[in-house]
């Protein structure tokens, strides 16, 4: 069989990730505050983009042949230019690109049975947080201590060692480094290190520089002039306090019930982690991307325009630059900038429409939550929402990523509304895992300190409320919301009952 070159003509289809498509997908996954940053970068790199209202009505409009560039010649660009971007469905991509970073459960929602006549609009509700609402920058613990130690040091050597020890403290204010290792690292006598540590422990807040919880509390007791022999025994036996052996500690301290209650009250007033009073940088408040409020019998859903700057293309400036461009390279560069600006505006508009569409469906599916609370939260999956709005699951996943919804009940991440299902005792359908957690918390908060509920007792009480759960499932949900076992809760309430 002879080998030789030949020409073949083959036809195939493939998904081409154009730069514009990649930009649209990227914008969809960003929050409003991240969009603000992205727009700021775009303004710096593209002279045709500007903030604010469009130009005056008498501004000359660029001719069609000037506004169209070689980047707008593909079928996708033509659809967008004709106002038919929805037909392109640029964000419904291959299932292999599906985000799987969150387990949204396998429960299915029912029909809901509640009419939904919410209005979808792109307008600021005026109730959202302003874009400049941020936490103030607080001094760190190290900065706070360094500002004090200079005036308290006896000499330069002690000041140097004290500053070195301050830099070794963790965020809670504890020194985990043994003093012998510190002396070896600095090449100084152990007594010098101990004197510097004593200086650090004398600084505000009281308790910093401690090497253990007992030492931290003892420093605060000395500061309050309450470190007598009885308090010293109590602080030295914190393990017995944790185990709830109150009678044994009382005998060791040699005090009556009233004095022992005063000592415990004093102990509770101390701060076990004094360093956490100080920040480590900027504390930013959560700014919602979507605002939901009741409107008649339905819901008014809007994007938070306080975090969405208005972006327009300066057509007048484009016409002026187009007339001044002589070289072919300059005209090509200007055409690229115009294409980039047009695509960015179209991508931002499509992003807002997609977010509103997904948010409206979530509110529709979880109507009971917005009306009655977490007890009526229904199981919901990405697929349920995607099928209802005829989009791909990957699109819904990107829309719900890192975005927050604000309503009368508070501010919630969109992922919060996607929960797994738990079988109900009446067999009419599944209930949300979040509703089960809320019921568990309610039962435990209302339990009698003298009759702590075991997990088996919680199972029986939850069955009475319509939740069919196994004991291990109740234990898992109880631990997930940070509630201890019946033994741990009994000890905690026994300590809380001593006044």
């Amino acid at each position: 069989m002879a080998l030789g070159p030949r020409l073949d003509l083959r036809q195939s289809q493939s998904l081409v990730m154009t730069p514009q498509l990649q930009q649209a997908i990227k914008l969809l996954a960003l929050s409003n505050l991240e969009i603000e940053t992205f727009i700021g970068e775009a303004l710096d790199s593209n002279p045709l983009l500007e903030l604010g209202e469009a130009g005056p009505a008498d501004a000359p409009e660029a001719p069609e042949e000037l506004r169209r560039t070689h980047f707008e010649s593909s079928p996708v660009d033509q659809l967008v230019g004709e106002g038919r971007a929805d037909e392109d469905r640029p964000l419904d991509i291959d299932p292999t690109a599906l985000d799987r970073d969150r387990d949204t459960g396998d429960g299915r929602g029912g029909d809901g049975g509640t009419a939904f006549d919410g209005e979808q609009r792109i307008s600021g509700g005026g109730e959202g947080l302003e874009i400049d609402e941020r936490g103030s920058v607080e001094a760190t613990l190290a900065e706070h201590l360094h500002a004090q130690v200079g005036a308290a040091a006896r000499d330069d050597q002690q000041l140097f060692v004290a500053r070195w020890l301050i830099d070794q403290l963790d965020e809670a204010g504890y020194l985990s480094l043994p003093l012998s290792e510190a002396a070896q690292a600095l090449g100084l006598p152990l007594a010098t290190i101990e004197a510097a540590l004593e200086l650090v422990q004398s600084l505000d807040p009281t308790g910093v520089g401690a090497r253990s919880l007992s030492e931290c509390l003892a420093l605060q007791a000395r500061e309050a002039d309450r470190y007598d022999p009885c308090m010293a025994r109590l602080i030295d036996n914190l393990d017995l306090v944790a185990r709830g052996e109150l009678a044994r500690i009382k005998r060791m301290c040699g005090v009556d019930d009233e004095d022992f209650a005063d000592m415990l009250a004093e102990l509770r007033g101390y701060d076990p982690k004094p360093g956490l009073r100080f920040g480590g940088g900027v504390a930013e408040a959560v700014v919602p991307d979507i605002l939901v409020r009741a409107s008649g019998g339905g819901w008014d859903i809007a994007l938070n325009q306080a975090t969405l700057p208005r972006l327009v293309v300066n057509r007048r400036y484009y016409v002026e630059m187009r007339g001044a461009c002589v070289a072919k390279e300059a005209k090509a560069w200007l055409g690229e900038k115009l294409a980039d600006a047009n695509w960015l505006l179209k991508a931002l508009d499509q992003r807002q429409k997609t977010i509103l569409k997904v948010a409206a469906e979530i509110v529709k599916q979880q109507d009971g939550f917005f009306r009655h609370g977490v007890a009526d939260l229904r199981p919901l999956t990405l697929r349920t929402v995607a099928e209802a709005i005829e989009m791909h699951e990957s699109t819904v996943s990107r829309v719900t990523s890192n975005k927050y919804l604000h309503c009368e009940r508070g501010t919630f991440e969109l992922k919060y509304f996607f929960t797994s299902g738990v079988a109900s005792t009446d067999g009419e359908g599944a209930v949300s895992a979040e509703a089960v957690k809320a019921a568990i918390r309610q039962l435990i908060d209302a339990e009698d300190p003298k009759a702590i509920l075991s997990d088996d007792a919680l199972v029986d009480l939850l069955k009475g409320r319509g939740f069919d759960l196994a004991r291990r499932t109740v234990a898992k949900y109880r631990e997930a919301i940070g509630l201890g076992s019946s033994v741990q809760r009994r000890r905690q309430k026994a300590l809380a009952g001593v006044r």
Side-chain angles (χ1 to χ4, degrees), residues 119-126 291 293 300-303 305 356:
E119 174 188 0
Q120 298 184 35
R121 61 184 178 84
I122 305 177
S123 62
L291 306 176
R293 60 182 178 181
D300 187 8
I301 306 170
L303 293 181
Q305 292 289 358
L356 280 176

Side-chain angles (χ1 to χ4, degrees), residues 13 30 107 116 168 197 207 234 311 325 332 363 374 385 388 403 436 449:
Q13 292 182 342
L30 298 180
F116 180 80
Q168 310 306 312
L197 178 60
L234 178 62
L311 195 64
C325 290
V363 174
V374 69
V385 174
K403 295 181 183 64
V436 177

Side-chain angles (χ1 to χ4, degrees), residues 60-70 72-73 77-78 80-82 315 318-319 322 338 342 346:
E61 183 68 19
E64 176 66 24
E65 60 272 11
L66 294 183
R67 288 189 283 112
R68 182 170 292 279
T69 67
H70 59 281
E72 298 178 326
S73 59
D77 298 306
Q78 293 175 11
V80 175
E82 296 170 5
R315 299 288 182 181
Y318 169 77
V319 173
R322 180 74 177 182
L338 179 61
N342 287 333
K346 294 169 186 175

Side-chain angles (χ1 to χ4, degrees), residues 355-370:
I355 292 176
L356 280 176
K357 195 172 184 180
V358 173
E361 183 61 27
I362 291 176
V363 174
K364 178 181 178 180
Q365 295 283 347
Q366 301 291 4
D367 184 79
F369 167 82
F370 291 96

Side-chain angles (χ1 to χ4, degrees), residues 129-377:
L129 301 176
E130 296 297 332
I131 201 169
D132 56 352
E133 289 189 11
R134 302 287 188 277
S136 59
V137 180
E138 299 179 357
T140 63
L141 174 64
E143 292 172 346
H144 181 72
L145 295 176
H146 280 305
Q148 305 174 60
V149 70
R154 183 178 62 251
D155 51 43
D156 291 341
Q157 185 185 62
Q158 189 182 51
L159 176 61
F160 171 79
V161 177
R163 291 191 183 277
W164 188 87
L165 290 175
I166 290 174
D167 292 334
Q168 310 306 312
L169 301 180
D170 60 20
E171 61 180 7
Y174 285 84
L175 179 66
S176 57
L177 180 70
L179 295 186
S180 57
E181 293 185 12
Q184 183 178 1
L186 297 177
L188 295 173
L190 182 60
T192 302
I193 306 298
E194 292 174 344
L197 178 60
E198 184 177 353
L199 171 62
V200 173
Q201 292 179 345
S202 67
L203 303 177
D204 177 75
T206 306
V208 295
R211 289 158 289 180
S212 64
L213 176 60
S214 298
E215 186 176 13
C216 178
L217 299 179
L219 289 171
Q220 297 178 57
R222 291 190 181 95
E223 177 71 17
D225 196 21
R226 289 296 303 271
Y227 195 69
D228 52 31
C230 295
M231 180 63 77
R233 291 193 191 96
L234 178 62
I235 293 177
D236 291 339
N237 293 276
L238 293 177
D239 55 333
L240 299 180
V241 177
R243 293 201 298 266
E245 300 182 17
L246 305 184
R248 181 180 176 185
I249 302 175
K250 194 187 308 179
R251 289 195 302 271
M252 294 174 61
C253 296
V255 294
D256 55 21
D257 292 343
E258 184 178 355
D259 290 339
F260 186 68
D262 290 340
M263 292 169 59
L264 281 181
E266 180 75 19
L267 195 63
R268 292 192 190 101
Y270 297 154
D271 189 354
K273 297 180 179 181
L276 296 184
R277 303 178 194 173
F278 299 87
V282 180
E284 296 193 0
V286 173
V287 180
D289 304 272
I290 304 163
L291 306 176
V292 177
R293 60 182 178 181
S295 177
W299 303 99
D300 187 8
I301 306 170
L303 293 181
N304 186 3
Q305 292 289 358
T307 59
L308 286 176
R310 175 76 184 277
L311 195 64
V312 297
V313 178
N314 192 333
R315 299 288 182 181
R316 173 182 292 178
Y317 186 56
Y318 169 77
V319 173
E320 293 178 357
M321 292 186 65
R322 180 74 177 182
C325 290
V326 179
K328 184 177 180 181
E329 294 79 4
K331 292 183 178 180
W333 176 84
L334 185 61
E336 291 178 3
K337 292 301 179 183
L338 179 61
D340 292 343
N342 287 333
W343 261 104
L344 179 57
L345 264 64
K346 294 169 186 175
L348 289 174
D349 180 67
Q350 182 67 23
R351 172 186 179 272
Q352 296 185 37
K353 293 177 180 177
T354 306
I355 292 176
L356 280 176
K357 195 172 184 180
V358 173
E361 183 61 27
I362 291 176
V363 174
K364 178 181 178 180
Q365 295 283 347
Q366 301 291 4
D367 184 79
F369 167 82
F370 291 96
R371 295 185 187 276
H372 307 295
V374 69
D376 287 347
L377 193 65

